[in-house]
């Protein structure tokens, strides 16, 4: 087994060639033009690696269509790849509550979201995600009202987001957690892990154990992108 994680940009597959094969064959040809535009402008950003992997995006859109998602939550917007993807997938009268403490990065993708004609579906909340979720929970109308949530922010708080999202998402609704294989480091001895990845590796390992034992959700951990865990609320 290869223990080196020196090339983070190839996803979790055996080689960069295989990852690019999947993208070139099945993902990019179907990627909406404006989504591609967000991906391309984000590529110049110093933190471009944060953008949702397009293969993950394709599965998210499929899940959203399968459950007819209309009301969704997005925790961690960055430049808006997964946000625009969701906005293009849900119906015209759908709504996305999009939370990020950084508005500047949201504004990088905003002109493209406007060009796509889907800005009206988005309620962007500039806030720490925990306080925004707690505020949503203060309004009873929000409880068990969301169809779908995508969580892609600070890994240290994923379990806290989970507790709140289980109150906000309806039975049968879906919560997707991104980066649940953390560059493959979850299965590496610690000495092989880069210093910068050690802290989140431990948070993700805890999360994975927790979700595996959480009988409030049906789960599937999928080795796509950097690993995602799909939870269906029971
Ligand atoms: N899903 C995004 C996309 O498709 O481009 C990528 C999100 S990026 C990995 C993580 C984002 O989470 C950053 O934009 C960061 O500002 C935001 N974030 C991190 N911690 C947060 C917190 N505690 N509350 C709100 N936003 C947070
Ligand atoms: Ca991510």
């Amino acid at each position: 087994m290869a223990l080196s994680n020196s090339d983070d940009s190839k996803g979790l597959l055996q080689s960069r060639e295989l990852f690019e094969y999947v993208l070139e064959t099945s993902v990019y040809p179907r990627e909406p033009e404006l989504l591609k535009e967000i991906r391309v402008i984000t590529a110049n950003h110093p933190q471009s690696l944060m953008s949702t992997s397009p293969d993950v995006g394709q599965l998210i859109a499929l899940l959203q269509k399968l459950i007819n998602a209309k009301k969704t939550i997005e925790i961690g917007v960055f430049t808006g790849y997964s946000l625009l993807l969701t906005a293009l997938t849900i119906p015209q009268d759908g709504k996305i509550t999009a939370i990020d403490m950084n508005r500047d990065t949201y504004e990088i993708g905003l002109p493209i979201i406007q060009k796509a004609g889907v800005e009206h579906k988005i309620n962007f909340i500039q806030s720490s995600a925990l306080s925004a979720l707690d505020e949503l929970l203060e309004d009873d109308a929000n409880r068990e009202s969301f169809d779908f949530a995508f969580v892609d922010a600070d890994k240290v708080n994923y379990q806290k987001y989970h507790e709140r999202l289980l109150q906000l998402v309806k039975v049968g609704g879906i919560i997707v957690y991104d980066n649940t294989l953390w560059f493959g480091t979850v299965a590496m001895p610690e000495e092989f892990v880069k210093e910068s990845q050690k802290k989140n590796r431990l948070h993700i390992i805890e999360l994975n154990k927790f979700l595996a034992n959480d009988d409030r959700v049906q789960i599937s951990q999928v080795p796509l992108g950097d690993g995602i865990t799909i939870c269906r609320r029971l």
Side-chain angles (χ1 to χ4, degrees), residues 84 87-88 92 112-122:
L84 177 58
L88 291 171
Q92 271 304 325
I112 300 171
I113 289 171
Q114 287 164 339
K115 204 173 2 162
V118 291
E119 191 189 7
H120 66 282
K121 301 183 192 177
I122 298 167

Side-chain angles (χ1 to χ4, degrees), residues 9-10 13 15-26 28:
S9 65
K10 69 175 171 57
L13 295 178
S15 65
R16 172 186 282 276
E17 288 72 22
L18 194 51
F19 184 47
E20 277 170 9
Y21 171 81
V22 172
L23 293 176
E24 299 289 348
T25 307
S26 306
Y28 290 156

Side-chain angles (χ1 to χ4, degrees), residues 133-146:
L133 293 174
D134 284 339
E135 206 165 304
L136 286 174
L137 281 165
E138 280 169 23
D139 182 351
D140 279 347
N142 285 323
R143 287 179 177 266
E144 305 197 71
S145 73
F146 289 86

